[in-house]
Amino acid sequence: MSEQINGGLGVRRLHARFGRQEVLRGIDLDVAAGETLVLFGTSGAGKTVLLRAIAGLEPAATGEIHVAGRDVSVLGPEARDIGMAFQNFALYPHMTARENIASPLRARHYDATEIERRVTAMASLLRIGHVLGQPPRALSNGQKQRTALARALVAEPKLLLLDDPLRNVDAKLRYEMRLELPRLLRRAGAATIYVTQDYREAMALGDRIAVLREGRIAQIGPPETIYDAPCDVAVARLFGDPPLNLLPCRVQPEGGRLRVEAAGLRLLLDARVAAGAECLLGLRPEAMALTREATEGASAAQVVAITPLHERFVLLLRTADGVEIVASTTGQPPAAGSQVWVGAMVAGALLFEADSGRIIARRAAPEVCAA
Amino acid sequence: MERHDGWFRALRAMALTLVLLFFLFPIFWILLMSFQNNEQILRLPPSLVFRPSLGNYIALISGKLQTSAGVLDITFLHNLWNSVLLSTCSVALSLLLGVPAAYAFARFRFRLGEDIAFTLLSFRFAPPLLVLLPLSLYFQDLGLSNTYFGLIWVYQLICLPLILWIVRGYFEDASPDVEYAYRIDGHSWWRAFTRIAIPLAGPGIAAAALLSFIFAWNNFVFALILASADKQPVTVGALAFVTASGIQYGQIAAAIVLSILPTLALALYAQRWLVEGLSLGAVKG
Amino acid sequence: MSSVLQDHSAALRRRPRLTAWLPYLLSLPALLVCVGILVPFITAAWYSLQRYNLAMPMTRGFIWFGQYIDLFTDPDFWNTVQVSAIYTIATVGIELLLGLGIALLLRERSRFNNLVSVALLLPLMTAPAIASLMWKLMTNPNFGVLSWLISLLGVHDFRWASDPRTAMFTVVLVDVWVYTPFMMILLLAGLRSLPPQPFEAARLDGVPARFVFFRITLPMLTPYLVTATLFRLLDSIQQFDIIYAMTQGGPGDSLMVFQVRAYLEFFQYTNVGTSAALMMVLWAITYALSNVFVKQWLKLRERAHGTA
């Protein structure tokens, strides 16, 4: 990790401790200007504390924070040049939407006409121009959310912190905003940290994703890497709906490759591991191959249940020796109760050490784990 | 949950009538007396029908009391003014001291924080004379006895706990995120406090101020011990007035009416918050 | 454009964080007032260990607990304890029962009930010292309307506060008049905040009213009853205004409660030491009570505000 800090955000050795409990245990993070980093993790992982520490709202935090090349570690939140959107919107209830959005501009001493121009422009961009005169209590949840975003964006801060801004809006609006946000964020050009608990949102919005676990960054990388090459079982399970199948397996080196057998499935993987090691085979539901006839390496299974999910069908299968496997398919699914053959696509197969849960690196795969 | 048969209703109506009679009759009767002259007051049996006169009030306001022994100067209006001055200034000072402290106790966990808060609360329940008697000796040494300044300082014993604990509740009820958002916008801590935190706790602050005004106005013992006639509020002044005016009962009644009118009016205005104030913020109405 | 932007974000002044100091800074003024009050408190404790009479400065001296020993062997002191106890128990007891009764009568939320409850608050908003004067006028032997009413009942020569036999009754009456609304309003708020489900269920099951009251209403109301009662106990045991304004502790020493007696010791007999010792005894009682009270009070407060 280089000590050079770019035009965006640089976080170094960030710690936070509440009494005995260490909430952040040394976070190092860089977000380039114009980049969106999604901060992802289960609740209690420290996402909100990290965000508040970067904003300067967490007195318990120690470490260095640089925004646009400026060390802001000892500065209050008002001097860090950031915009932030809160989960609960945090609009000022005694001001109109217009005054809410104008607040960062007033703090920066813009003159009245410039404030009016910018607020109007930002409001029309977010399609809330018609409610600018209303107080927050008169706005719908969607309008509140857009007002909060407008307030965060309007002063063109160097750093944007978005704390799960879509959590409290309904599904339709969340879908709309997920399409709209990348455009807005690209236009803003700021380094952006986006906190979410929804892996789809993370995959859709993040240039990179940082997975936070127990106060540490477990893995950081582009969405595809996190999905295709998670650093351990826990990260792998966080992404994907339904989550991946984890099958205990036997491994046997065979001609420079590795023969893997689990629940009647047989695969040849490009990986190296000691013979007889305890391993887990991770197979994403969409990486399962279903056929009606017997195929090489496949296992016979019965379709137990079928559930439609978005544009796909999720199938629960049970193999002859009673192992349950989840598969998903976009095509016409086989009928419930029918017999199928289930195999796995080699490209989508992940192999983990059984006791540590760490991934067993495939040959030619890059080092993916941060720690 | 209740049986609404005729007997029950009749009993309930009778009970309520008795209750209202007991609690409101004294105020009503004193009000009547304040419009009567001594002759009318002394007539037995008392009569509800009489020719009301404003004589008592005129005497109080003009400060000249006609007695059999001649014209007596009365300072009751000055007492009234003292009450206004003492209560208003005490509440103002209390707000100045109490609102920032309430905010600190609501927003920050800090060493000594709870200790200070509870010490201030305990003032509300400590016997006032415990502090007042030694204080009267100190005040003589410090030159504070019989000064408005000294009285206003001691009145903090009544106003400060009330304001601190009610306002603290309101600050606790407001989400800190709204203030954080304002600071992130680029506003200083002070502006977030004055432009966001205080306006949002506004109703609570107003309620606490009104209530502590009432309690300061109604206080008796502080001024009894620490003030002489020229600085005394109506509560003490009225007592002295009774002794001075002898048998001018109508004027006493008028003085009583003038003394309790401001607090009763404020109480009616602030009744929505009375429960909260009376319980120091523990029960919401 | 970008130069304008630079310019404006520079308006966000560099300013070191003062978070660590801020809470102290904010509570410092209140703290100073605290200290200002704590000094006389400590002085009082100090005085209580001295022989100290303002009229006889030469005799001043440190006598350890001699003062307390004198006090505890003095029948006047025990008279004070007795009078205070009777006054406190009588007022709080009557106010509790009466206040609960009125609260139950006004329990349902209706325009009329709300109006009545507001009207009943007026005595509570009357300064207690002034309330005493009002009752003094009404119980005047010459023209007092209450004296006249009681004579209609055939009781002549009822001399209210000027008779040692009825003085206690009279001041308790005034206290009840002033403070019953306090009980009423707190218990009413409590009653109205109770969840309706148990009462609806009881009504559907046809549970008798008495059973509902003793087995549902009272247990659920207990936190409010305890808090309101402790609150009143703390105030009542320290009552000064009503008694002083009515009789200054007389006739004789029939109404010589703690604070009135301490006041007279101080100002009439200039006996600072005795007065301070009396107040320390009262303080010990109220301190113990207030510790119990604060626990109950905090529970209610948490219920009203989420976290304390």
Side-chain angles (χ1 to χ4, degrees):
Chain A
M1 174 101 22
S2 73
E3 282 296 311
Q4 150 205 341
I5 281 155
N6 56 27
L9 167 75
V11 174
R12 294 289 175 274
R13 296 178 294 280
L14 195 63
H15 287 266
R17 158 192 297 279
F18 296 144
R20 288 258 180 81
Q21 200 194 349
E22 255 198 303
V23 190
L24 298 179
R25 313 172 186 223
I27 303 279
D28 289 284
L29 201 62
D30 284 280
V31 186
E35 185 190 22
T36 301
L37 178 85
V38 168
L39 203 54
F40 186 84
T42 52
S43 53
K47 301 189 299 287
T48 301
V49 178
L50 175 54
L51 212 61
R52 286 163 49 100
I54 294 171
L57 298 171
E58 196 51 76
T62 59
E64 275 178 51
I65 294 159
H66 297 258
V67 175
R70 202 163 59 114
D71 185 352
V72 298
S73 318
V74 296
L75 301 182
E78 68 272 20
R80 295 189 172 194
D81 198 10
I82 52 187
M84 184 161 175
F86 292 76
Q87 235 180 67
N88 55 10
F89 314 132
L91 295 174
Y92 316 128
H94 55 309
M95 301 182 189
T96 61
R98 173 178 281 109
E99 289 165 336
N100 265 278
I101 300 171
S103 163
L105 299 173
R106 285 191 205 290
R108 288 164 173 80
H109 305 297
Y110 283 86
D111 60 60
T113 49
E114 180 66 8
I115 290 178
E116 181 57 31
R117 194 183 69 73
R118 281 175 182 249
V119 169
T120 313
M122 186 50 73
S124 69
L125 190 69
L126 280 157
R127 303 200 299 275
I128 46 171
H130 56 294
V131 294
L132 278 181
Q134 311 271 353
R137 66 174 176 282
L139 304 181
S140 71
N141 257 10
Q143 289 164 339
K144 281 182 197 163
Q145 205 263 317
R146 283 161 185 271
T147 307
L149 271 177
R151 186 178 66 188
L153 291 168
V154 71
E156 301 180 4
K158 296 286 190 301
L159 173 63
L160 265 178
L161 304 173
L162 308 179
D163 186 1
D164 215 345
L166 301 187
R167 171 176 250 193
N168 290 329
V169 298
D170 60 49
K172 177 170 169 289
L173 199 75
R174 198 176 319 171
Y175 180 75
E176 268 175 41
M177 289 305 289
R178 209 186 280 162
L179 294 179
E180 215 173 313
L181 266 174
R183 186 173 57 93
L184 282 170
L185 296 181
R186 213 171 306 124
R187 188 180 171 282
T192 303
I193 295 190
Y194 187 104
V195 169
T196 180
Q197 286 190 308
D198 179 340
Y199 91 96
R200 285 165 194 285
E201 222 168 285
M203 307 271 299
L205 295 173
D207 295 319
R208 283 188 301 152
I209 296 175
V211 181
L212 203 61
R213 190 169 60 206
E214 288 166 359
R216 286 201 184 87
I217 292 179
Q219 186 172 8
I220 185 163
E224 317 75 73
T225 310
I226 305 275
Y227 192 80
D228 295 336
C231 73
D232 58 26
V233 171
V235 173
R237 288 175 64 89
L238 283 176
F239 289 81
D241 180 25
L244 82 174
N245 296 292
L246 280 170
L247 308 169
C249 58
R250 283 186 304 278
V251 294
Q252 189 68 46
E254 188 180 295
R257 302 212 284 180
L258 200 63
R259 169 167 291 278
V260 182
E261 279 188 39
L265 277 75
R266 289 173 304 279
L267 289 99
L268 267 179
L269 296 181
D270 277 330
R272 213 185 290 276
V273 73
E278 300 267 321
C279 290
L280 285 172
L281 179 64
L283 296 169
R284 298 217 179 265
E286 66 271 19
M288 308 307 301
L290 295 184
T291 47
R292 292 186 195 279
E293 285 88 38
T295 25
E296 170 59 27
S299 169
Q302 191 185 19
V303 179
V304 180
I306 305 175
T307 321
L309 180 76
H310 305 301
E311 69 285 7
R312 293 173 298 148
F313 290 95
V314 175
L315 287 77
L316 180 61
L317 310 168
R318 189 176 295 135
T319 62
D321 31 350
V323 178
E324 289 189 340
I325 295 178
V326 176
S328 74
T329 174
T330 46
Q332 182 62 34
S338 62
Q339 284 287 333
V340 292
W341 290 85
V342 54
M345 301 175 199
V346 172
L350 303 165
L351 198 61
F352 303 97
E353 289 173 10
D355 42 359
S356 71
R358 293 171 63 85
I359 198 162
I360 296 166
R362 309 267 291 272
R363 186 170 303 154
E367 179 62 50
V368 287
C369 282
Chain B
M1 71 195 85
E2 289 162 19
R3 287 170 305 145
H4 282 277
D5 50 55
W7 271 108
F8 185 84
R9 278 166 173 248
L11 270 175
R12 184 175 177 275
M14 212 164 79
L16 271 182
T17 312
L18 282 176
V19 164
L20 278 171
L21 200 65
F22 174 67
F23 286 103
L24 296 185
F25 176 77
I27 297 175
F28 169 74
W29 193 253
I30 298 296
L31 191 66
L32 284 190
M33 273 179 77
S34 74
F35 293 109
Q36 294 173 327
N37 58 34
N38 254 14
E39 237 170 89
Q40 291 162 323
I41 290 170
L42 290 170
R43 185 167 43 205
L44 280 178
S47 160
L48 285 174
V49 187
F50 61 93
R51 178 198 288 271
S53 88
L54 286 172
N56 297 320
Y57 290 97
I58 290 166
L60 282 179
I61 289 164
S62 67
K64 299 284 180 223
L65 191 57
Q66 305 289 339
T67 66
S68 47
V71 179
L72 193 70
D73 279 326
I74 43 173
T75 56
F76 185 76
L77 223 55
H78 187 65
N79 293 134
L80 206 60
W81 163 245
N82 285 344
S83 274
V84 172
L85 189 78
L86 287 173
S87 308
T88 311
C89 294
S90 304
V91 172
L93 181 62
S94 253
L95 285 174
L96 217 60
L97 301 174
V99 172
Y103 181 78
F105 299 143
R107 278 284 174 275
F108 305 98
R109 296 265 163 268
F110 62 109
R111 273 168 40 157
L112 292 179
E114 290 299 299
D115 295 333
I116 302 170
F118 280 102
T119 309
L120 280 166
L121 178 68
S122 73
F123 287 169
R124 169 65 184 74
F125 298 110
L129 284 179
L130 177 70
V131 171
L132 282 175
L133 297 179
L135 209 58
S136 70
L137 298 178
Y138 277 117
F139 268 27
Q140 272 163 19
D141 295 341
L142 294 171
L144 283 176
S145 59
N146 201 32
T147 59
Y148 289 122
F149 179 84
L151 281 171
I152 288 165
W153 183 31
V154 181
Y155 269 52
Q156 298 310 307
L157 280 176
I158 317 166
C159 301
L160 202 51
L162 196 77
I163 285 182
L164 194 76
W165 280 92
I166 296 183
V167 175
R168 178 183 180 172
Y170 276 82
F171 280 138
E172 276 168 359
D173 287 350
S175 158
D177 280 353
V178 181
E179 286 160 46
Y180 293 155
Y182 200 67
R183 290 200 66 192
I184 286 172
D185 282 353
H187 299 282
S188 65
W189 170 84
W190 176 251
R191 283 171 78 90
F193 176 60
T194 54
R195 303 286 173 86
I196 303 292
I198 289 187
L200 293 193
I205 296 174
L210 278 172
L211 285 162
S212 48
F213 183 92
I214 293 174
F215 287 122
W217 183 284
N218 286 351
N219 184 274
F220 172 72
V221 67
F222 291 4
L224 177 75
I225 290 174
L226 298 175
S228 316
D230 62 319
K231 301 288 191 305
Q232 280 169 349
V234 283
T235 42
V236 187
L239 196 66
F241 181 59
V242 170
T243 327
S245 65
I247 54 158
Q248 298 301 315
Y249 302 114
Q251 268 113 15
I252 297 174
I256 288 173
V257 170
L258 288 180
S259 313
I260 64 175
L261 208 62
T263 50
L264 297 198
L266 275 182
L268 290 179
Y269 176 71
Q271 41 110 350
R272 198 152 63 83
W273 294 296
L274 279 181
V275 186
E276 205 170 341
L278 291 168
S279 65
L280 289 166
V283 179
K284 284 194 171 178
Chain C
M1 182 64 198
S2 84
S3 73
V4 171
L5 187 73
Q6 286 301 327
D7 198 13
H8 280 286
S9 44
L12 305 176
R13 275 165 302 156
R14 291 182 72 97
R15 188 198 272 255
R17 284 199 266 179
L18 39 65
T19 328
W21 288 100
L22 201 55
Y24 294 99
L25 224 61
L26 289 172
S27 50
L28 191 70
L31 176 72
L32 287 179
V33 172
C34 259
V35 172
I37 302 299
L38 282 176
V39 170
F41 168 74
I42 292 161
T43 323
W46 180 241
Y47 287 166
S48 76
L49 303 175
Q50 298 176 357
R51 186 189 306 115
Y52 184 10
N53 192 320
L54 284 179
M56 295 175 278
M58 304 305 288
T59 62
R60 185 171 176 180
F62 197 74
I63 51 166
W64 283 104
F65 293 97
Q67 199 109 245
Y68 291 96
I69 293 166
D70 287 352
L71 209 55
F72 294 147
T73 52
D74 180 357
D76 282 353
F77 170 78
W78 293 108
N79 175 58
T80 293
V81 172
Q82 194 189 347
V83 170
S84 294
I86 292 173
Y87 184 83
T88 307
I89 292 165
T91 52
V92 177
I94 296 171
E95 284 156 20
L96 179 63
L97 291 178
L98 202 53
L100 180 61
I102 301 171
L104 286 169
L105 284 177
L106 300 176
R107 178 175 189 176
E108 261 170 73
R109 282 181 199 273
S110 71
R111 229 192 159 81
F112 175 76
N113 284 355
N114 290 346
L115 207 69
V116 172
S117 72
V118 170
L120 289 184
L121 281 174
L122 293 181
L124 185 59
M125 292 298 128
T126 308
I130 302 276
S132 258
L133 292 186
M134 293 169 66
W135 284 81
K136 233 174 157 171
L137 285 181
M138 292 196 302
T139 56
N140 186 296
N142 296 324
F143 62 88
V145 63
L146 293 181
S147 302
W148 174 74
L149 277 175
I150 215 159
S151 72
L152 289 186
L153 295 174
V155 184
H156 295 279
D157 203 30
F158 191 89
R159 294 181 43 235
W160 301 92
S162 1
D163 185 334
R165 288 170 300 172
T166 52
M168 178 62 85
F169 166 80
T170 310
V171 285
V172 168
L173 188 67
V174 179
D175 195 296
V176 166
W177 183 75
V178 174
Y179 289 109
T180 302
F182 177 87
M183 282 282 192
M184 182 277 289
I185 192 87
L186 248 66
L187 296 182
L188 187 61
L191 271 176
R192 287 179 173 181
S193 71
L194 298 184
Q197 294 86 351
F199 299 97
E200 281 161 12
R203 190 168 48 179
L204 284 177
D205 296 346
V207 178
R210 186 147 46 123
F211 190 87
V212 172
F213 178 74
F214 284 107
R215 296 296 175 86
I216 305 181
T217 313
L218 270 190
M220 288 175 79
L221 200 60
T222 303
Y224 293 90
L225 286 167
V226 171
T227 308
T229 305
L230 283 167
F231 211 125
R232 280 301 304 134
L233 274 177
L234 275 164
D235 274 357
S236 190
I237 201 167
Q238 305 175 22
Q239 186 49 255
F240 178 84
D241 300 10
I242 291 176
I243 294 169
Y244 185 83
M246 186 67 97
T247 70
Q248 306 204 350
D253 52 6
S254 58
L255 293 180
M256 211 49 97
V257 293
F258 271 105
Q259 289 219 95
V260 173
R261 191 172 150 87
Y263 177 85
L264 295 176
E265 283 287 351
F266 192 97
F267 285 102
Q268 215 160 54
Y269 310 113
T270 59
N271 211 336
V272 178
T274 313
S275 170
L278 264 168
M279 290 320 295
M280 290 306 291
V281 173
L282 179 60
W283 174 77
I285 298 169
T286 54
Y287 183 76
L289 266 177
S290 69
N291 274 342
V292 184
F293 167 79
V294 166
K295 282 197 192 92
Q296 293 293 327
W297 176 82
L298 274 179
K299 273 189 216 158
L300 275 191
R301 190 170 179 278
E302 256 170 67
R303 196 181 290 189
H305 287 286
T307 50

